[in-house]
Amino acid sequence: MEQHFYPTEEKDKKTRYEEFLTQYAGLIEGESNAVSVMANTCAALKEAFGFFWVGFYLVEGDTLVLGPFQGDVACYRIRKGLGVCGTAWAEGRTLVVPDVDAFPGHIACSSLSRSEIVIPIIYNEVIKGVLDIDSDQPDDFDDTDREELEQVVRLMAETLYT
Ligand code: SME
């Protein structure tokens, strides 16, 4: 199974996400192991978009625990309501943070991180965890990233939990 998620820089971001989603649907189809699917999701997103850090934090009780990721080593546990990840979980919505230094309580796993997007994984109205993506550039995420990454996460949740 050789597959590559090559970046297609010449196309606009929305088109790149749409191409990504088509290929990604094939990548995860039929696999129900959460660690495996999340690991491949990180690898595919990193390869296609070159994100600085991409990974999952998963709900365990009142805490998010580090799951599969690509990038520098990261903190293991984030309490509900803390940091960008814990706030996205508590509020049940995607957070786009253009300047991490301006976000109260931001948890700095890497001093190089400048902006961040966190998307909750919601299935049957239950939050299973979050997808966290960091950039080393300020203001690197917008509504297109939010809409398209929410689709990626929705597709993943349907594949894993249906
Ligand atoms: N910045 C996150 C912590 C996780 S790392 O970015 C990998 C936060 O504030 O929740």
Side-chain angles (χ1 to χ4, degrees), residues 53 57 74-75 78 82-86 105-109 113 116 132 134:
W53 196 93
Y57 280 92
C75 54
I78 300 172
L82 297 185
V84 185
C85 292
H106 167 255
I107 299 162
C109 291
S113 175
E116 183 164 0
D132 178 18
D134 287 26

Side-chain angles (χ1 to χ4, degrees), residues 58-149:
L58 302 170
V59 170
E60 267 187 39
D62 64 353
T63 305
L64 289 169
V65 182
L66 183 64
F69 69 94
Q70 295 252 326
D72 293 350
V73 295
C75 54
Y76 284 110
R77 287 170 189 272
I78 300 172
R79 294 288 292 273
K80 192 170 192 176
L82 297 185
V84 185
C85 292
T87 304
W89 176 22
E91 296 183 2
R93 66 186 179 95
T94 298
L95 291 183
V96 176
V97 178
D99 174 4
V100 293
D101 294 329
F103 187 92
H106 167 255
I107 299 162
C109 291
S110 165
S111 59
L112 296 176
S113 175
R114 299 263 61 88
S115 57
E116 183 164 0
I117 183 168
V118 178
I119 304 104
I121 306 161
I122 303 173
Y123 186 74
N124 275 350
E125 296 175 21
V126 175
I127 299 188
K128 308 279 195 181
V130 300
L131 171 63
D132 178 18
I133 303 180
D134 287 26
S135 173
D136 58 1
Q137 303 298 313
D139 201 10
D140 213 13
F141 304 105
D142 58 19
D143 275 350
T144 302
D145 296 288
R146 183 177 54 71
E147 284 161 20
E148 301 293 332
L149 289 167

Side-chain angles (χ1 to χ4, degrees), residues 24 28 31 33-45 54-58 67-70 121 128-131 156-157 160-161:
Y24 175 69
I28 67 170
E31 181 52 65
N33 184 284
V35 171
S36 307
V37 167
M38 289 179 187
N40 259 349
T41 301
C42 294
L45 283 169
V54 50
F56 291 93
Y57 280 92
L58 302 170
F69 69 94
Q70 295 252 326
I121 306 161
K128 308 279 195 181
V130 300
L131 171 63
M156 188 192 76
L160 287 181
Y161 307 122

